[in-house]
Amino acid sequence: MQHEWQAGTPAQTEVAQVYEEFVHLVRFLTAGERAHGNALSLAQHSLLGFIARHLGCRATEVSVNFGVNRSTVSRQVRNAVDAGWVEAEAGPVRTGNPLRLTERGRAILDDTVVRRHSEIRAGLAEWEQEDLDRFVHLLRRFRSRVEWGTARTPDQNDGDISA
């Protein structure tokens, strides 16, 4: 018995179409930001947003919450410190240094959020409130049903409009 979501069924075609739309959207959201001179990459934006919401967090916490290797996070944190966006406060070497945004880091994160919101606002400009409410509902419903697996958790931006 073939399940309705298996390859070759009309539902599979819809799954492929949804996937394709997500791919285009993610490309837009990541590549679009790079078009600006003082732009954050998606990884940088995610890192700064997490640190902003979790003052004093450590690289290990970022690693666990994003489901990525600690060395990857350490490299991103090092780059953010070098760029003057993040400060690593004194702390026990064993547990890692508490992180916080600098004024420069907060400013570039805020600027990125304002630009991204502006682009999204433009895309939604002619939508009726009912359509917008339904769209938000459907996105949240979809996100709540996606299985992240045991070794990975979702990006902790979790609908937070500040990052």
Side-chain angles (χ1 to χ4, degrees):
M1 181 173 143
Q2 190 175 35
H3 191 274
E4 66 182 76
W5 294 107
Q6 289 179 323
T9 66
Q12 181 60 30
T13 301
E14 292 166 359
V15 167
Q17 290 172 348
V18 168
Y19 175 80
E20 190 67 22
E21 291 303 320
F22 277 126
V23 167
H24 287 292
L25 183 60
V26 168
R27 283 184 187 148
F28 165 75
L29 292 173
T30 54
E33 189 55 35
R34 291 188 193 129
H36 301 284
N38 225 4
L40 296 174
S41 70
L42 180 63
Q44 293 165 332
H45 185 175
S46 297
L47 175 66
L48 295 186
F50 186 86
I51 293 170
R53 288 185 311 282
H54 301 91
L55 185 64
C57 68
R58 291 165 166 72
T60 53
E61 294 170 62
V62 177
S63 174
V64 167
N65 280 278
F66 286 6
V68 296
N69 189 292
R70 185 174 173 186
S71 65
T72 300
V73 172
S74 294
R75 189 171 41 256
Q76 288 290 332
V77 168
R78 201 170 28 257
N79 291 340
V81 168
D82 291 347
W85 302 332
V86 171
E87 287 181 343
E89 299 172 359
V93 174
R94 188 167 163 256
T95 60
N97 299 63
L99 304 172
R100 72 172 191 83
L101 293 185
T102 62
E103 285 183 36
R104 184 174 177 199
R106 170 50 70 188
I108 195 166
L109 178 62
D110 289 348
D111 185 55
T112 299
V113 170
V114 166
R115 272 200 310 270
R116 300 316 306 184
H117 284 198
S118 178
E119 291 168 351
I120 292 169
R121 191 174 298 109
L124 299 171
E126 296 182 18
W127 287 40
E128 298 292 330
Q129 186 64 45
E130 182 179 319
D131 291 336
L132 180 56
D133 292 343
R134 178 104 173 113
F135 184 59
V136 170
H137 169 76
L138 291 172
L139 285 172
R140 287 179 177 159
R141 181 175 159 197
F142 177 80
R143 185 172 52 108
S144 74
R145 298 292 304 221
V146 174
E147 293 182 19
W148 294 98
T150 57
R152 185 177 162 165
T153 60
D155 183 338
Q156 296 300 302
N157 283 331
D158 276 345
D160 183 346
I161 61 171
S162 67

